[in-house]
Amino acid sequence: MGVPTLGCHCAVCESEDPLDKRTRPSVLLTYGGRNVVIDTTPDFRYQAMRARIDRLDAVLYTHAHADHILGLDDIRPYNLKQKGNVPIYGTRETLDTLKRQFAYIFDDTPTETSLPGVELHEINGPFELFGAKIVPVPAMHGPTPVLGFRIGGAAYLTDFSRVPESSKTLLQGLDDLILDALRYVPHPTHSNVEQSLALVQELKPKRAWFTHICHDLGHAETNARLPENVLLAYDGLQIEAAF
Ligand SMILES: [Zn+2]
Ligand SMILES: [Zn+2]
Ligand SMILES: [Zn+2]
């Protein structure tokens, strides 16, 4: 929902600490002069301005929930500037949902305004993107299948409640694991702090970063309670990854 959460006046929502301001979860991968975004959140336009993204080369989708897709329409300036479609990658299920939620992009109704230009690519396993190997990491988010992504020594796994054993083998030997940890209280479709700490202990990345954090977790006080190599991620956090 983002922090501050609309209508809420709890200590975290009212906090003056900039690290307690959280837009919806997304990652920008920058390598070889390319910009690849994971998910287009409802905050995509603001995030792209903040990160000064001058070109957009591809979008990878984890899943098609509203907080991960609703910024898709805002890729239009990149279509116009780059004079072309932006390749988007997701599972068949995710692409089907995008086609439903953004029907106006995909039906052929004439329009007098611009539409987002996309080129759909179904993810069926690891693939190469602009010279980097992208390894999809399947997980379950309640009843919904989702993908995490591993690129070299870093992996991003948001919105999950269960990671199958076959995916745990894909998450060995990481330098950085960025993973969902919504809050302390258990949730039916998200990993909580205790469950995510257990997963970190099992997978043993050098560092772990919690993301998709709701307003139950204040930045400074939560970090103080976490093990040394586990930290809350924050808006604008930059990580250098080997790949
Ligand atoms: Zn709040
Ligand atoms: Zn979700
Ligand atoms: Zn989400």
Side-chain angles (χ1 to χ4, degrees):
M1 291 177 191
V3 180
T5 298
L6 294 178
C8 185
H9 300 282
C10 75
V12 176
C13 289
E14 299 271 307
S15 163
E16 307 260 313
D17 184 348
L19 298 174
D20 281 322
K21 309 286 180 224
R22 301 176 186 135
T23 59
R24 267 58 71 85
S26 180
V27 172
L28 167 65
L29 308 171
T30 299
Y31 60 95
R34 302 286 192 166
N35 290 322
V36 177
V37 160
I38 304 181
D39 294 334
T40 51
T41 80
D43 300 311
F44 171 71
R45 178 174 174 274
Y46 168 74
Q47 292 166 331
M49 283 194 293
R50 188 178 58 190
R52 297 179 180 278
I53 303 180
D54 277 345
R55 57 174 292 121
L56 180 64
D57 294 287
V59 180
L60 310 180
Y61 282 105
T62 58
H63 66 306
H65 282 167
D67 53 331
H68 297 259
I69 65 170
L70 286 186
L72 175 58
D73 193 83
D74 285 324
I75 71 166
R76 284 180 296 139
Y78 299 115
N79 293 136
L80 295 170
K81 186 176 178 189
Q82 296 163 207
K83 297 183 175 54
N85 293 335
V86 172
I88 67 178
Y89 292 80
T91 59
R92 173 179 290 263
E93 198 171 12
T94 295
L95 298 180
D96 283 346
T97 307
L98 286 173
K99 286 189 212 165
R100 236 179 16 251
Q101 303 288 28
F102 293 91
Y104 66 94
I105 300 179
F106 301 98
D107 63 28
D108 291 325
T109 313
T111 166
E112 292 184 30
T113 184
S114 63
L115 292 173
V118 296
E119 191 183 280
L120 304 183
H121 295 269
E122 189 180 321
I123 298 177
N124 290 309
F127 61 101
E128 182 159 323
L129 188 61
F130 312 124
K133 188 182 176 198
I134 312 282
V135 180
V137 181
M140 292 307 290
H141 175 28
T144 310
V146 298
L147 292 182
F149 295 104
R150 177 174 186 163
I151 300 105
Y156 179 64
L157 183 59
T158 188
D159 292 61
F160 74 91
S161 46
R162 195 174 61 78
V163 180
E165 294 304 316
S166 53
S167 289
K168 287 179 185 170
T169 63
L170 303 172
L171 297 169
Q172 301 297 318
L174 285 168
D175 296 322
D176 293 282
L177 172 62
I178 303 150
L179 73 165
D180 186 2
L182 184 73
R183 60 188 191 189
Y184 291 115
V185 181
H187 188 281
T189 69
H190 285 275
S191 186
N192 69 0
V193 169
E194 191 187 333
Q195 292 161 331
S196 293
L197 283 174
L199 186 62
V200 168
Q201 223 164 38
E202 194 181 342
L203 298 175
K204 296 184 176 44
K206 284 191 191 142
R207 287 166 298 273
W209 305 90
F210 286 170
T211 190
H212 215 292
I213 309 153
C214 84
H215 61 161
D216 290 9
L217 306 183
H219 191 86
E221 65 266 29
T222 308
N223 265 343
R225 294 172 65 170
L226 292 173
E228 209 180 356
N229 66 331
V230 182
L231 293 158
L232 293 195
Y234 52 87
D235 276 52
L237 169 68
Q238 293 189 25
I239 295 170
E240 234 171 89
F243 69 94

